[in-house]
Amino acid sequence: MSLFERYLTLWVFLCIVLGIALGQFAPGVFQAIGHLEIARVNLPVGLLIWVMIIPMLLKVDFGALGQVKRHWRGIGVTLFINWAVKPFSMAALGWLFIRQVFAPWLPADQLDSYVAGLILLAAAPCTAMVFVWSRLTGGDPVFTLSQVALNDTIMVFAFAPIVGLLLGLSSITVPWATLLVSVGLYIVIPVILAQIWRRVLLNKGQAAFDAALARIGPLSMAALLLTLVLLFAFQGEAILRQPLVIAMLAVPILIQVLFNSGLAYWLNRRAGERHSIACPSALIGASNFFELAVAAAISLFGFQSGAALATVVGVLIEVPVMLLVVRIVNRSKGWYDAGVCGQTTTFHVR
């Protein structure tokens, strides 16, 4: 992991402090930034989101879709968790914790917005960081790339319908026009631009491509951190009034990560997949494409919304929680392999 990736939680925490401080000392500046928008798309944030997302999408090789059949059981588990379990389990956890358990301690006018943010977070499967988690667990790189390419392809078509469905079931008004614009701006266009740029770079050779990724990687992380400063400059007043709101939002996210990763890991073991396949399959089901979630939350509900804050909490706990999952799957490799070998032996005896 790079320095930025390893200490992402620390950088996010510092952005929280800096953003809240700047928002208190220079509120007029951030109000002016908040008004720089066209069709509910904030122009400074839109630019920052592109700087965040496009370098990450450069790593995605859609040619890897041809490798999907090699590990169809692992791919099947990945798709089941990411699209049939994860968004719906997060919505259920949001309803339980935000609208029931923690409702007395949260602002009543933001409850729906918090749930919406959690839904947006869960509906966007991880794109870039899963390569890091896979490498830390000895995951199969070809499988990791193929499942990311397949997930990104599905996300283009499934993100808006799933978000719209779950928001509707949560009795939250669905701004369909803004949602579709967000999909176009933050998924479709970045994917197209990234793939064009990827092809241009690869035509210059693999060394040139790797060098370009190394140069632009820090820009992506810097754009994320600057976006967080802007967000917390707007959210500062609400956080100062209720500082425990971040901890309460973290609870359903943490449970969802552990549940989905554990379920995917167990299903791969039951299906007889290798540990090097089960690990990236479990990790992509636990992690989120939080850059997209943050962008969509801002577009749909605004800087000062509970939805934007909920997605940022996902960024805050991403690294420590995912490192915990990495540690669990690495330490349980003996248990995992024993189960897979036992199933194989039983199959041959029969």
Side-chain angles (χ1 to χ4, degrees):
M1 297 178 69
S2 69
L3 179 66
F4 274 117
E5 291 167 343
R6 185 179 299 276
Y7 296 105
L8 181 59
T9 299
L10 174 61
W11 309 138
V12 173
F13 176 76
L14 293 176
C15 287
I16 292 175
V17 175
L18 179 61
I20 292 175
L22 291 175
Q24 296 300 302
F25 289 112
V29 173
F30 293 97
Q31 288 174 6
I33 293 174
H35 289 127
L36 295 174
E37 60 179 34
I38 297 176
R40 296 197 64 179
V41 175
N42 185 271
L43 298 180
V45 171
L47 178 60
L48 288 172
I49 296 296
W50 273 29
V51 176
M52 267 192 270
I53 293 177
I54 291 177
M56 295 179 178
L57 291 174
L58 277 175
K59 300 177 182 179
V60 180
D61 178 11
F62 286 99
L65 289 173
Q67 304 293 327
V68 166
K69 292 181 181 180
R70 287 181 55 185
H71 297 285
W72 61 271
R73 290 170 298 183
I75 289 291
V77 170
T78 294
L79 297 182
F80 174 68
I81 295 296
N82 277 309
W83 300 107
V85 175
K86 185 177 178 182
F88 300 93
S89 64
M90 180 64 99
L93 289 168
W95 299 334
L96 173 62
F97 284 97
I98 304 304
R99 287 183 170 172
Q100 302 297 326
V101 179
F102 298 141
W105 298 281
L106 292 170
D109 61 335
Q110 290 284 11
L111 295 182
D112 286 348
S113 190
Y114 291 141
V115 173
L118 295 175
I119 289 171
L120 286 167
L121 192 64
C126 185
T127 291
M129 289 296 286
V130 71
F131 292 109
V132 176
W133 312 133
S134 178
R135 187 168 66 250
L136 292 177
T137 59
D140 185 306
V142 175
F143 173 80
T144 303
L145 185 58
S146 63
Q147 70 169 359
V148 169
L150 183 57
N151 263 300
D152 283 1
T153 302
I154 294 173
M155 186 161 54
V156 171
F157 304 99
F159 181 79
I162 287 179
V163 169
L165 171 64
L166 290 174
L167 291 181
L169 291 175
S170 304
S171 301
I172 300 171
T173 301
V174 182
W176 277 104
T178 308
L179 180 58
L180 293 175
V181 168
S182 297
V183 170
L185 280 178
Y186 303 128
I187 302 179
V188 178
I189 294 177
V191 165
I192 293 173
L193 292 178
Q195 291 304 300
I196 293 174
W197 193 5
R198 176 185 172 86
R199 180 166 296 183
V200 170
L201 290 173
L202 285 174
N203 285 339
K204 299 178 180 179
Q206 187 64 44
F209 177 74
D210 293 339
L213 285 182
R215 286 195 304 270
I216 64 178
L219 292 177
S220 179
M221 191 60 66
L224 170 63
L225 298 180
L226 185 53
T227 302
L228 297 184
V229 170
L230 291 176
L231 273 174
F232 282 103
F234 284 98
Q235 294 280 351
E237 194 66 36
I239 293 172
L240 290 174
R241 285 199 308 267
Q242 292 181 302
L244 289 178
V245 65
I246 292 178
M248 288 185 278
L249 289 171
V251 170
I253 298 174
L254 175 60
I255 294 174
Q256 184 254 168
V257 167
L258 296 177
F259 170 73
N260 286 320
S261 59
L263 179 59
Y265 194 53
W266 178 78
L267 287 175
N268 274 288
R269 185 174 187 257
R270 292 293 299 170
E273 276 289 9
R274 301 198 316 269
H275 189 258
S276 61
I277 302 299
C279 288
S281 177
L283 293 164
I284 199 173
S287 190
N288 303 297
F289 191 1
F290 49 74
E291 296 86 358
L292 171 61
V294 170
I298 294 172
S299 295
L300 294 174
F301 302 101
F303 272 115
Q304 295 177 299
S305 66
L309 181 60
T311 57
V312 170
V313 174
V315 186
L316 179 64
I317 69 172
E318 170 89 3
V319 171
V321 175
M322 290 306 299
L323 286 176
L324 172 62
V325 175
V326 166
R327 182 177 178 83
I328 291 171
V329 298
N330 281 340
R331 290 176 66 90
S332 62
K333 187 176 186 300
W335 166 83
Y336 185 96
D337 289 340
V340 172
C341 290
Q343 291 178 42
T344 305
T345 301
T346 303
F347 176 80
H348 283 304
V349 168
R350 290 178 183 174

